[in-house]
Amino acid sequence: MIAVTRPVSDTIANCELTHLARQPIDLDRARAQHRAYEQALEDAGCTIVRVEAAPDLPDAVFVEDAAVVLPEIAIITRPGAPLRRKETPPVAAVLGRYREMVAVEAPATLDGGDVLVLGRRVYVGRSRRTSGRGVAQLQSMLTRYGYEVVAVEVASCLHLKSAATAIAADRLLVNPAWVAVDAFAGAGLLSIEPHAANVLRAGQTLVYPSAFPRTRDKLVRAGYHVREVEVSELAKAEGAVTCCSVMFDAS
Ligand code: CIR
């Protein structure tokens, strides 16, 4: 499995913030946490492929928002935050080695953090970042490959994947306070702490923030292999674990 990542930018302190108040971010600590995150992915069997650093783009580390990669195609997004749109070309340059690509076109917007793939079903959050047109473009890009694209309203958090992520091929971790659980037609193990629904599945491992021990215990009791990572500095930039990588099989 490939995990595309991008270094923490010198300017991360100027990141976009929607739901959090700005707090100082310790750059060295953020970088150390990011390296430990990459190490956790390597230990889970991923090969890390780094996109070049973008010192002037504060949110570049959150590479998930720039692309959605499926076995058949890579979709280069058009992020909803205008200042984040310059992040996508270097990500596309890397993904072009692995996939054919299509790009979301203006005026539509789509953030990768709003796209949750579960088998042949793709849930897409309609959020502050992803417009109705973005949802429609994703639909027309993917239905030809046999995916069912399901729109989900996201009002209480930044992205769909702030509220729901996959923990298995057919199972989600969901925070019911932020998203309507019925949107997911029966999938789900509910999270029990605020902000605790963002988990990154890497092969048999769930990479998970150390900030949520109760949900971690719930996952472990349910039989999952959990690798904890400390991402407190990245969390101050409203990032979590899925947003720092784009994962896919090389072929
Ligand atoms: C932003 O607001 O765009 C960044 N500060 C955080 C993006 C996090 N992305 C994600 O969860 N997919």
Side-chain angles (χ1 to χ4, degrees), residues 15-18 59 62 64-65 84 113 129 158-159 237-240 242-243:
C15 64
E16 301 279 337
L17 287 176
T18 307
D59 284 305
F62 303 124
E64 162 178 75
D65 292 319
R84 296 199 60 193
R129 298 287 176 86
L158 186 60
H159 289 125
E238 274 186 62
T242 63
C243 56

Side-chain angles (χ1 to χ4, degrees), residues 173-235:
L173 185 64
V174 181
N175 174 356
W178 283 352
V179 74
V181 175
D182 6 337
F184 301 111
L189 167 87
L190 305 189
S191 66
I192 48 176
E193 289 155 286
H195 305 278
N198 189 268
V199 58
L200 176 63
R201 194 169 158 236
Q204 298 303 309
T205 301
L206 298 181
V207 177
Y208 194 63
S210 53
F212 309 116
R214 286 193 298 142
T215 301
R216 176 206 59 210
D217 288 350
K218 196 167 177 175
L219 290 166
V220 169
R221 279 199 304 275
Y224 293 94
H225 174 246
V226 178
R227 167 76 179 262
E228 283 188 296
V229 287
E230 162 105 46
V231 287
S232 54
E233 294 306 303
L234 299 166

Side-chain angles (χ1 to χ4, degrees), residues 69-80:
V69 181
L70 295 165
E72 300 86 353
I73 195 136
I75 295 157
I76 307 305
T77 67
R78 183 167 182 272

